[in-house]
Amino acid sequence: MGLSLPNFLKCCNRKASKDLADVNAQNTDENTERGNWSSKSEYLLSMVGYAVGLGNVWRFPYLTFQHGGGAFLIPYTIMLALAGLPLFFLECSLGQFSSSGPVAMWKVLPLFEGVGITMVLISTLVTIYYNVIIAYSLYYLFASFTSVLPWSDCYDWSDSKCSKVPKGFCNITLQPNLIETVNLTWVRENNYTCLENSTLFMETELPSKQYWEKVALRRSSGLDETGNVVWYLALCLLLSWIIIGAALFKGIKSSGKVVYFTAIFPYVVLLILLIRGVTLEGAYDGINFYIGTQSDISKLANAEVWKDAATQIFFSLSTAWGGLVALSSYNKFHNNCYGDAIMVCITNCLTSVFAGFAIFSILGHMAFKAQKEVKDVVDSGFALAFIAYPEALSQLPVAPLWSILFFFMLLTLGLDSQFASVETITTTIHDAYPKVMKKMRGVITVGACIMFFLLGLVCVTQSGIYWVDLIDYFCAGWGILIAAILELVGICWIYGGNRFIEDIEMMIGKKGWLFWLWWRLCWFFITPLLLTAILIWSLATFASPKHGDVEYPAWGVILGWCMIIFCIIWIPILAVIKICKGEGSIWERFRTLCRPTSDWGPALDQHRTGRYENFSNIQKATNALEIPTIEGGLSGYDNKAFS
C-alpha cells in the first residue's frame, strides 16, 4: 500500500535525521569546514617532528663542542627562555585562536599581511632544498645495503690523495749517529718513533670525503659549472616527494598517522646508537670533549657564543617559518596551547643534548682508531652528516647495519619536518580558496609536490650542493629574523599584547597577573630586542658564502640577495597596495589597516564571546536577512570593538 504525502515526508525527515546523526557520530571535528587533528597525540608528534630536525643531530653537537662543551648549555637554556619559547607560544596561540594559516591570520593586522607571505615564500624555498638533503639520506641508505660499505676504503673511484691513515715523512734514528727520513707508513709498520718536530704530513682525504664528492655528488668545480643531472640523486629526490605526497594526500588526517612512526623512530635509533657508542673504545674521550671535564666556562665571555646559542634555538624550534601557525590552526579551540608549547620546546632541546651523547661517543671511537684528538675529526654541517658520520660508522663491527639505522634516522627526521613545511603551503592555499581545496586537496598537494620536484632538479645537478648551500645561507636567515621581529611588533605593539592575552585566555582560561608577567616582558621587550641584535650582528659580520674552499661567483652572491629580497619585498608592497586601495585620508587608511578586520577572531560562532560576540550576532542577522555587506566588512563596528 502506498504512503500518503505527509507520511512520506515524515519518513524522509526521520531518515535524513538518522543519516545526519550517523555522520556527526563519525565526525568528531569541532570545525567541520576546516577539519581538526584526529587526536592530541597526532598534533604533538607533528609539532615535535617539525621542530626536531636534522640540525639537532649535526649542528647542535658541533656548536656545543666548539663553544666550551657543557658550558654552552648555559646560554642555550637562557636563549630558550628569552627567544625560543616566547615566540613558539605566541605562534601556537595565533594559529589556534584564529584557525588560520600564516597569511590568513593577518586579519588581525591587515597592514602586516606581507609578513605572512614572507614566511610562506621562505618556507617554499627551504622546502625545495631541504628535500634534497632527504634525497642524500635516501641515497646513503640504499648504498648501505652491502656487505662492505662503499666508502670504507679507497676504491677505484678514489685518487692518490685518498687515505684512511695520515701520510707523510719524518726523521728517525736508525743508529746512534744515523738519522734518516722515511715515510710514516714504514715507521708504523716497523714500530719506530719519529723525532720530535720532524714530521711532515702530506695532504690526504678520507675515503668517505672522496666518496661524498666524487661518487654521491659528482661535484663540479663551482656554481658556474652546472654539469649533468645526477640521475640516482634525482630518483631519490623523486622518491622523497612521492613519500611526502602520499603522506599529505588527505592533509593532517593522513600525515597525523604517519608521524607516529617518523617522529618516534629517530629516538629509538638514537638510543640504539648511544648504547652501542658508549661500549666502544674511546667513547669516553668523545663524550668528555662534548660535555665533560673540558667544558670551558671562560668562553661565555665571547659574544659569538651567545649569538650562536640564540640562533640555534631560534632555528631549531622552526619559529617564524609559518609551520607552527599552520599546524596549530587545526587544533580545537580550547586546546591547552600553553602546555603544548612548553612540552615541545623542552623535548626539542633535550633531543639535541641526547643526540650529542650518541654522536660524540661514536666520534670518540673514530678518534681512537685514527689516533687523533676528537677535535681533529669533528666538522660541521654536511661534512659532519655525510663525511664524519659515515667514516665513523664504517669502523664499527657490522658496519652496514649501523649505517642503515643512522641514515634511516636522518630520513625520518627530515620527512616529518618536511611534512609540516608542505602543510604550511597547502594550508595557505586552503585559507585563500577553501571550497576548491576541500574538493581537490589531494590533487593540489600532488601538484605542489610535482612542482617542487621539478624546481629541485637544479639541486641534484653536479653543482647542486652549491645551490643547496646558497639557498640555505640566504633564505634560512635574515628573512626569518625580519618576519619574527615584525610579528612580535605587530601583535604586541599595534594589535595590543594585553588584548592578545585576553584572546589566549578565551582558549585556555583565566591566568593570574604573575603568570603573564614573564610573557609580557619577553613579547614586548626582550625577545624583539634580542632578535634585532642578532639580525644586526649577522648583517654586520656578513661574509661572502663558501662551500668548503670554493668561493661563489659574484653573480651567485647577487642571486642569493635577490632571493631574500624577493621574499621580504612583499611586506612593503602589500602595505602600500592596501593603503592605496583604502578610503579616507592617508592617516585614516593607515589606522584602519592597523585594526583587525571584521572577521578576525575565533572561526566558530560558539567561541565568539566577549568583544567578538556582538559582531557574531550582527553577522547572523545580516545573513538571515540577506543584506549585502560592504566590502571589507562592518568596519564601523570593527573600529569600535578594537579601538
Side-chain angles (χ1 to χ4, degrees), residues 148-369:
V148 178
L149 292 175
W151 55 83
S152 61
D153 212 333
C154 299
Y155 296 110
D156 54 0
W157 39 261
S158 62
D159 59 27
S160 59
K161 291 183 180 180
C162 183
S163 177
K164 290 180 68 68
V165 296
K167 288 183 177 180
F169 302 91
C170 73
N171 296 332
I172 62 170
T173 304
L174 290 177
Q175 297 176 10
N177 295 320
L178 179 60
I179 296 176
E180 188 169 338
T181 301
V182 295
N183 67 62
L184 295 178
T185 304
W186 188 91
V187 172
R188 283 190 295 268
E189 291 174 350
N190 293 276
N191 294 322
Y192 275 85
T193 302
C194 294
L195 294 177
E196 190 175 357
N197 299 325
S198 68
T199 305
L200 180 64
F201 289 102
M202 296 172 58
E203 184 180 356
T204 59
E205 294 178 339
L206 288 170
S208 58
K209 182 177 188 296
Q210 291 208 349
Y211 183 87
W212 165 243
E213 295 176 351
K214 294 178 179 292
V215 180
L217 298 178
R218 291 173 55 194
R219 195 185 76 173
S220 66
S221 60
L223 190 66
D224 46 6
E225 185 187 347
T226 302
N228 301 317
V229 172
V230 182
W231 65 269
Y232 41 84
L233 289 182
L235 289 177
C236 289
L237 181 64
L238 177 61
L239 177 58
S240 64
W241 278 117
I242 289 173
I243 295 171
I244 290 166
L248 295 176
F249 190 77
K250 293 184 178 180
I252 60 169
K253 297 300 184 185
S254 54
S255 67
K257 304 297 184 290
V258 178
V259 294
Y260 278 107
F261 178 76
T262 58
I264 294 173
F265 183 77
Y267 292 96
V268 176
V269 176
L270 283 173
L271 180 60
I272 294 172
L273 289 175
L274 176 61
I275 294 172
R276 182 68 185 102
V278 296
T279 62
L280 297 170
E281 290 182 287
Y284 173 78
D285 294 331
I287 294 174
N288 192 37
F289 266 88
Y290 169 52
I291 196 170
T293 57
Q294 298 194 24
S295 295
D296 186 2
I297 297 292
S298 65
K299 288 204 172 187
L300 299 186
N302 187 347
E304 186 79 15
V305 175
W306 293 85
K307 189 206 75 152
D308 281 350
T311 303
Q312 175 64 14
I313 279 289
F314 184 76
F315 293 112
S316 176
L317 292 175
S318 301
T319 49
W321 296 80
L324 300 179
V325 177
L327 294 178
S328 299
S329 69
Y330 295 102
N331 276 333
K332 293 181 179 179
F333 186 75
H334 291 296
N335 174 65
N336 184 7
C337 54
Y338 168 74
D340 295 344
I342 298 291
M343 193 279 288
V344 174
C345 287
I346 292 176
T347 299
N348 175 76
C349 295
L350 290 179
T351 301
S352 296
V353 176
F354 179 62
F357 283 102
I359 298 309
F360 269 83
S361 63
I362 295 175
L363 291 178
H365 175 67
M366 180 179 172
F368 172 81
K369 295 276 287 187

Side-chain angles (χ1 to χ4, degrees), residues 382-404:
F382 292 113
L384 185 59
F386 297 107
I387 297 177
Y389 290 169
E391 179 66 25
L393 295 169
S394 70
Q395 298 177 16
L396 299 179
V398 200
L401 172 63
W402 304 112
S403 184
I404 290 168

